[in-house]
């Protein structure tokens, strides 16, 4: 049996909203350590890797490792029925072909239960080595979302140039061109508002902005986003999920033909 | 002209 309970069910709903535009279905790997998921988009340009550690749940029980094929589209629809302060329990009974989502209102007066059929999915797993990136930019996730949205107006691609002083996002297309430069924050009252840059080497990489905008669907999970970059290496775009884990998106760069 | 790469150029299956 698998059973995991989250007092703040809305966190789980935000995780699903963060994933479901990039991947519509995925296999959840459940073990004693927690829940992990790795999935690529259909064109194999971007990948998402999710970790939710067991100690982040109020209660967590996983008697044996399970691979659960789940439609994220359907799960998202079910989770929309959850109240904003509801507690969420996810359960898979032994020998069952369904996942059960139970939602309980804070005053414990309302209790809803939905079942979603599990799917048989082919999953391809990519090994992603630990990487010492040349540059890690940390910035407010709302600011990153706004920049990606704005860059998409100008063109299909965005070039991210990072130096020790700042980071520049630039795009050009048929309508024209533009760029936004953010300087490293010198002093900020709140850490979540800061832009900080750890840099060993300056980098300039070009990415399809459409994917970056999909990654930004996960921005409501976290005040800050980390962008890790090295030349000729996929971008790693990370949002923390509270203290319990993270969503990491990987995106292959574009190269000059 | 820019060309989009795929992740399999960087990471291996398995």
């Amino acid at each position: 049996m698998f059973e995991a309970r989250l007092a703040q069910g809305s966190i789980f709903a935000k995780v699903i909203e963060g994933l479901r535009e990039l991947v519509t279905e995925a296999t959840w790997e459940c073990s004693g350590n927690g829940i992990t998921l790795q999935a690529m988009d259909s064109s194999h340009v971007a990948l998402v890797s999710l970790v939710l550690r067991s100690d982040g749940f109020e209660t967590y029980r996983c008697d044996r490792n399970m691979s659960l094929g789940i439609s994220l589209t359907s799960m998202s629809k079910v989770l929309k029925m959850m109240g904003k302060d509801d507690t969420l329990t996810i359960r898979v009974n032994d020998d069952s072909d369904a996942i059960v989502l139970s939602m309980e209102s804070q005053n414990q007066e309302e209790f809803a239960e939905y079942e979603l059929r599990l799917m048989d999915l082919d999953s391809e797993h990519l090994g992603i080595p630990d990487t010492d990136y040349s540059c890690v930019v940390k910035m407010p996730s709302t600011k990153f979302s706004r920049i990606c949205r704005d860059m998409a107006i100008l063109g299909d691609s965005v070039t991210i140039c990072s130096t020790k002083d700042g980071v520049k996002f630039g795009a050009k297309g048929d309508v024209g061109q533009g760029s936004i430069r953010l300087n490293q924050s010198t002093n900020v009252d709140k850490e979540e508002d800061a832009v900080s840059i750890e840099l060993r080497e300056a980098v300039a990489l070009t990415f399809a902005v459409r994917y970056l905008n999909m990654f930004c669907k996960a921005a409501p999970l976290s005040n800050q986003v980390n962008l890790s970059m090295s030349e000729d290496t996929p971008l790693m775009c990370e949002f923390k999920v509270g203290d319990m884990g993270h969503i990491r998106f990987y995106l292959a760069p574009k190269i000059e033909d | 002209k820019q060309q989009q790469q795929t992740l399999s150029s960087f990471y291996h299956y398995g």
Side-chain angles (χ1 to χ4, degrees), chain A residues 66-134:
Chain A
M66 286 187 185
S67 296
L68 310 173
I70 293 172
S71 157
L72 302 181
T73 311
S74 304
M75 192 178 244
S76 157
K77 286 178 185 162
V78 168
L79 289 170
K80 291 240 162 67
M81 299 187 242
M82 182 169 62
K84 127 175 123 56
D85 299 316
D86 283 8
T87 295
L88 175 71
T89 305
I90 306 159
R91 192 176 73 243
V92 179
N93 295 318
D94 283 333
D95 302 321
S96 165
D97 64 348
I99 182 168
V100 182
L101 301 168
S102 310
M103 303 158 191
E104 192 179 331
S105 67
Q106 213 168 26
N107 58 14
Q108 295 173 323
E109 285 176 1
E110 199 174 305
F111 187 85
E113 197 166 84
Y114 302 98
E115 256 187 52
L116 281 174
R117 207 165 306 140
L118 294 171
M119 307 165 78
D120 242 340
L121 299 176
D122 289 330
S123 53
E124 295 166 305
H125 200 270
L126 281 184
I128 299 172
D130 281 336
T131 306
D132 276 331
Y133 290 96
S134 301

Side-chain angles (χ1 to χ4, degrees), chain A residues 44-45 47 125-127 157 232 252-255 257, chain B residues 1-8 10-14:
Chain A
H44 292 195
V45 168
L47 178 146
H125 200 270
L126 281 184
S157 302
D232 199 33
K254 285 182 161 187
I255 48 166
D257 207 4
Chain B
K1 177 100 175 80
Q2 282 164 339
Q3 201 191 338
Q4 176 66 60
Q5 294 178 287
T6 60
L7 288 170
S8 54
F10 301 95
Y11 304 134
H12 298 293
Y13 288 96

Side-chain angles (χ1 to χ4, degrees), chain A residues 227-255:
Chain A
L227 305 173
S228 300
M229 294 172 282
S230 292
E231 284 298 329
D232 199 33
T233 300
L235 164 78
M236 181 177 86
C237 170
E238 180 187 62
F239 298 93
K240 296 262 191 274
V241 182
D243 294 327
M244 67 187 301
H246 57 248
I247 293 186
R248 288 178 182 162
F249 295 101
Y250 295 83
L251 178 59
K254 285 182 161 187
I255 48 166

Side-chain angles (χ1 to χ4, degrees), chain A residues 83-234:
Chain A
K84 127 175 123 56
D85 299 316
D86 283 8
T87 295
L88 175 71
T89 305
I90 306 159
R91 192 176 73 243
V92 179
N93 295 318
D94 283 333
D95 302 321
S96 165
D97 64 348
I99 182 168
V100 182
L101 301 168
S102 310
M103 303 158 191
E104 192 179 331
S105 67
Q106 213 168 26
N107 58 14
Q108 295 173 323
E109 285 176 1
E110 199 174 305
F111 187 85
E113 197 166 84
Y114 302 98
E115 256 187 52
L116 281 174
R117 207 165 306 140
L118 294 171
M119 307 165 78
D120 242 340
L121 299 176
D122 289 330
S123 53
E124 295 166 305
H125 200 270
L126 281 184
I128 299 172
D130 281 336
T131 306
D132 276 331
Y133 290 96
S134 301
C135 171
V136 181
V137 175
K138 298 180 184 184
M139 63 187 284
S141 52
T142 48
K143 194 170 285 207
F144 181 58
S145 299
R146 180 175 58 83
I147 290 171
C148 292
R149 194 193 61 208
D150 293 351
M151 290 291 121
I153 295 167
L154 293 167
D156 298 335
S157 302
V158 58
T159 299
I160 307 177
C161 300
S162 194
T163 63
K164 65 177 170 38
D165 301 319
V167 56
K168 190 174 100 174
F169 300 83
K172 62 179 169 189
D174 294 341
V175 293
Q177 60 178 302
S179 66
I180 300 172
R181 190 192 144 91
L182 303 175
N183 290 331
Q184 175 147 230
S185 308
T186 42
N187 70 59
V188 279
D189 296 336
K190 284 187 285 181
E191 206 177 310
E192 64 194 53
D193 294 333
V195 175
S196 73
I197 298 165
E198 290 164 29
L199 186 115
R200 283 192 291 119
E201 250 179 292
V203 293
L205 288 163
T206 299
F207 301 103
V209 70
R210 187 168 76 86
Y211 288 99
L212 297 177
N213 273 309
M214 287 190 219
F215 302 169
C216 288
K217 302 292 176 191
L221 279 166
S222 178
N223 290 322
Q224 286 252 320
V225 58
N226 287 8
L227 305 173
S228 300
M229 294 172 282
S230 292
E231 284 298 329
D232 199 33
T233 300

